[in-house]
Amino acid sequence: MKKNIFFVLVIIMLLPILSKAQEITKSDRARSIVKAVNQKDAKMYVDNFSKNVKVYMYGEDGNFVLRVDGIEALYKNRAEHLKNHPEVRNEIQHLAEIDNRLIMHDKVWLTPKKKDGSSVVEIFTFNKDGKIERVDVIQQKNLFSQEK
């Protein structure tokens, strides 16, 4: 009987640790996004985002402009991007986590013909459920003209 009580107490003490270990971290989400790009899987990509996600691009005027509004729009955007750039490759350079944000510096190769990748910085803002609800993107203004 004492062994059973001890066993139950051990399990009760381990449950919070085990549930925490199964949480998807911010860095896991970033790695999943990069993996999805490299595997050309738009569904895997959007699985990391909240249904109300908003994606902003840094504009030439110095302001962020809303480019994608909602999970359906994000899926359509990513599926089209992966279709238009079937040889795209992505590599994480740096990750920095600050409060509910993760800053990712990655390199993107739209085509293998381009020797040097292009730098992109995304600032992901996470909601309380651990999903990405906002992305602020800074990339070279001529990124897509470089693929030839």
Side-chain angles (χ1 to χ4, degrees):
M1 181 70 167
K2 285 185 180 185
K3 285 183 183 181
N4 288 343
I5 292 172
F6 177 74
F7 182 69
V8 168
L9 288 175
V10 168
I11 289 176
I12 289 172
M13 290 186 331
L14 288 177
L15 281 176
I17 295 168
L18 293 173
S19 68
K20 187 77 170 166
Q22 292 188 10
E23 275 184 27
I24 299 174
T25 68
K26 293 173 188 70
S27 295
D28 291 338
R29 295 262 183 225
R31 288 183 189 92
S32 177
I33 288 166
V34 168
K35 183 178 180 181
V37 169
N38 292 334
Q39 292 181 3
K40 318 307 179 264
D41 188 337
K43 180 173 180 343
M44 179 193 297
Y45 188 97
V46 299
D47 284 346
N48 294 287
F49 295 84
S50 75
K51 67 179 183 170
N52 300 318
V53 62
K54 295 188 183 319
V55 179
Y56 295 86
M57 300 290 292
Y58 188 73
E60 291 184 35
D61 64 355
N63 295 309
F64 283 94
V65 177
L66 180 63
R67 296 292 178 160
V68 176
D69 190 359
I71 196 82
E72 293 86 10
L74 180 62
Y75 178 81
K76 182 179 176 186
N77 175 282
R78 293 296 80 197
E80 187 174 313
H81 177 77
L82 295 171
K83 179 182 172 194
N84 292 338
H85 304 284
E87 298 178 294
V88 67
R89 184 170 62 89
N90 197 346
E91 248 178 49
I92 294 174
Q93 304 297 300
H94 305 282
L95 293 175
E97 197 172 318
I98 303 170
D99 298 327
N100 69 329
R101 290 186 177 82
L102 180 99
I103 302 155
M104 178 169 74
H105 167 216
D106 54 324
K107 289 263 184 152
V108 177
W109 291 262
L110 294 174
T111 173
K113 295 175 190 169
K114 178 116 172 77
K115 185 176 181 176
D116 298 323
S118 298
S119 285
V120 178
V121 173
E122 295 104 342
I123 302 168
F124 300 109
T125 303
F126 291 78
N127 65 16
K128 62 180 173 26
D129 298 321
K131 295 267 188 153
I132 300 165
E133 66 182 4
R134 179 181 171 130
V135 185
D136 295 290
V137 181
I138 303 170
Q139 66 187 30
Q140 293 172 250
K141 59 185 164 189
N142 63 345
L143 174 65
F144 293 100
S145 64
Q146 296 179 15
E147 63 184 299
K148 299 180 183 351

